């Protein structure tokens, strides 16, 4: 199947047994960050910690995990991160399907807003998320415990998950 053909992977919620496959997928998808990070994006301990706090939504095809996204609902706001698609099948709409599923999940959990963070040196990412309705709402420092090859910080982007009431 070509890289740009229509794909329709099965979506499901991750289980503890998926932690190793999720770790491998995220590190493969985030290989493009080596220019400023110089290391893997995540380790299995962090994936397990996130599985305990929130939820990974997975895209599966022929029994293989080809995409994932992490969501953590918290009251009326939810955090979304680690949107990852297997590099060989990127640009086939899988990321958009995962984003829609993540937003639907958080909407169903009662969240009114979705927040995400992108690293400022990944200049292609804000435009991608803007096309999905996100706007930059602030900045945040990069974690001090993470050594980077370049100075960087986070851009915080947010999106309302329900239409904002029209004010009279």
């Amino acid at each position: 199947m070509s890289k740009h053909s229509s794909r329709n992977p099965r979506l499901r919620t991750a289980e503890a047994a998926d932690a190793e496959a999720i770790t491998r997928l995220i590190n493969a998808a985030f290989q493009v960050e080596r220019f400023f990070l110089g290391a893997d994006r995540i380790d299995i301990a962090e994936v397990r910690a996130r599985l305990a706090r929130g939820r990974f939504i997975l895209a599966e095809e022929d029994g293989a995990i080809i995409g994932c996204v992490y969501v953590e609902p918290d009251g009326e706001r939810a955090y979304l991160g680690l949107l990852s698609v297997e590099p060989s099948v990127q640009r086939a709409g899988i990321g958009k399907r995962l984003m829609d599923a993540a937003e639907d999940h958080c909407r169903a959990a009662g969240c009114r807003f979705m927040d995400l963070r992108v690293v400022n040196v990944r200049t292609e990412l804000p435009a991608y998320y803007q096309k999905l309705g996100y706007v930059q709402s602030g900045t945040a420092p990069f974690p001090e415990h993470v050594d980077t090859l370049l100075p960087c910080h986070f851009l915080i982007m947010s999106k309302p998950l329900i239409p904002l009431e029209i004010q009279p």
Side-chain angles (χ1 to χ4, degrees):
M1 196 175 270
S2 82
K3 190 174 182 177
H4 297 281
S5 63
S6 178
R7 298 184 97 89
N8 192 24
R10 181 175 82 93
L11 300 183
R12 70 172 175 88
T13 301
E15 300 165 8
D18 296 313
E20 284 187 34
I22 292 168
T23 304
R24 279 193 304 275
L25 171 68
I26 292 169
N27 287 327
F30 280 82
Q31 193 72 17
V32 298
E33 292 193 346
R34 291 274 179 166
F35 77 96
F36 78 89
L37 209 48
D40 279 344
R41 173 63 180 81
I42 201 163
D43 61 30
I44 194 159
E46 177 65 18
V47 169
R48 287 186 176 128
R50 286 179 185 253
L51 279 165
R53 282 196 316 267
R55 171 169 298 186
F56 280 97
I57 298 170
L58 307 179
E60 257 185 346
E61 202 170 67
D62 299 324
I65 297 171
I66 59 169
C68 73
V69 65
Y70 175 75
V71 289
E72 192 174 319
D74 185 17
E76 72 169 25
R77 300 197 83 84
Y79 170 74
L80 179 146
L82 298 170
L83 177 64
S84 304
V85 175
E86 166 61 40
S88 67
V89 295
Q90 288 177 354
R91 300 187 188 284
I94 297 164
K96 170 81 167 82
R97 285 220 30 229
L98 285 164
M99 290 295 293
D100 290 345
E103 290 172 6
D104 289 346
H105 171 76
C106 293
R107 215 177 270 115
C111 300
R112 296 174 44 133
F113 300 93
M114 183 77 85
D115 301 315
L116 58 84
R117 296 181 311 211
V118 296
V119 181
N120 68 309
V121 295
R122 293 284 310 276
T123 55
E124 74 282 9
L125 292 179
Y128 174 79
Y129 290 111
Q130 284 168 350
K131 284 193 286 189
L132 300 178
Y134 289 80
V135 296
Q136 186 175 336
S137 57
T139 61
F142 209 72
E144 288 184 23
H145 68 277
V146 178
D147 291 326
T148 58
L149 305 174
L150 298 171
C152 50
H153 62 274
F154 287 119
L155 306 177
I156 300 168
M157 300 184 78
S158 301
K159 173 183 179 175
L161 294 177
I162 58 172
L164 297 174
E165 292 76 26
I166 299 172
Q167 301 298 320

